[in-house]
Amino acid sequence: MEFLHHHETWEVLGFVLVIALLVWKGVPGIVGKMLDERAAVISAELDEAKRLRAEAAALLIDYQKRAAGAEAEAQAIVADAKAEAARFAEEARAGLTTQIARREAAARDKIAQAEAAALNEIRSLAADAAVSGAQKLIFARLDEKRASGLISDSIKSLGEKLN
């Protein structure tokens, strides 16, 4: 029994006793149970992570659709704004053209009125000058005898002109 004197023998025997004690107390079952629980927790966390990933992917797709819709809506708004600006510019041009035409017509009317007023004034001045010249001529050429002859001729022809 010499092998009992070697310390390796006692080490092996102690190790076997510890293992036997652990097996007798059910430590491998407890460890297995703990590992199974940990595996179940990890599996649940993985399932939750997969679910969250799928949900995030669905949200990403939804947000991408919304972003595309918003971009299309923004482009439509910009296109509408450009069309409205073009319409407004065209209306402004048409209004300006109409306003210019009205002002031109008003200016032509004022010029025509000024010309007519100037012509009337010139005619009036010419008539006044002609009357004044005629008065001077009549006073210069008309004597008393001739004036009474003209008056009597006028009175005689008055009856004929009234009928």
Side-chain angles (χ1 to χ4, degrees):
M1 293 224 186
E2 195 173 307
F3 70 89
L4 291 176
H5 292 294
H6 295 292
H7 69 292
E8 288 94 8
T9 304
W10 290 107
E11 286 177 4
V12 169
L13 188 63
F15 182 70
V16 169
L17 278 174
V18 167
I19 295 293
L21 181 64
L22 290 176
V23 169
W24 179 63
K25 287 293 189 182
V27 171
I30 293 172
V31 170
K33 190 176 183 185
M34 287 174 52
L35 288 176
D36 287 343
E37 287 174 359
R38 181 68 182 141
V41 168
I42 290 172
S43 176
E45 287 177 356
L46 284 174
D47 290 342
E48 179 69 15
K50 286 179 186 177
R51 186 187 64 78
L52 289 175
R53 184 170 189 260
E55 189 177 309
L59 283 174
L60 176 64
I61 290 170
D62 184 47
Y63 285 128
Q64 286 174 341
K65 286 179 184 176
R66 285 184 185 179
E71 186 174 331
E73 186 178 341
Q75 288 175 349
I77 289 170
V78 167
D80 287 345
K82 285 181 181 178
E84 184 68 25
R87 251 191 326 272
F88 179 72
E90 188 61 35
E91 288 175 5
R93 280 189 201 105
L96 185 60
T97 303
T98 304
Q99 187 178 14
I100 288 171
R102 273 194 317 241
R103 287 187 179 180
E104 182 180 352
R108 286 184 182 170
D109 287 346
K110 283 183 181 180
I111 290 171
Q113 288 174 357
E115 286 176 352
L119 282 175
N120 287 337
E121 188 176 338
I122 290 171
R123 285 181 185 149
S124 174
L125 289 174
D128 288 346
V131 168
S132 174
Q135 277 179 345
K136 287 179 184 175
L137 260 173
I138 290 173
F139 284 133
R141 291 190 179 178
L142 189 64
D143 58 358
E144 181 86 24
K145 182 179 172 186
R146 200 163 180 199
S148 27
L150 284 174
I151 290 174
S152 61
D153 288 341
S154 294
I155 290 172
K156 285 180 190 175
S157 66
L158 186 63
E160 295 170 7
K161 289 181 182 176
L162 287 176
N163 290 332

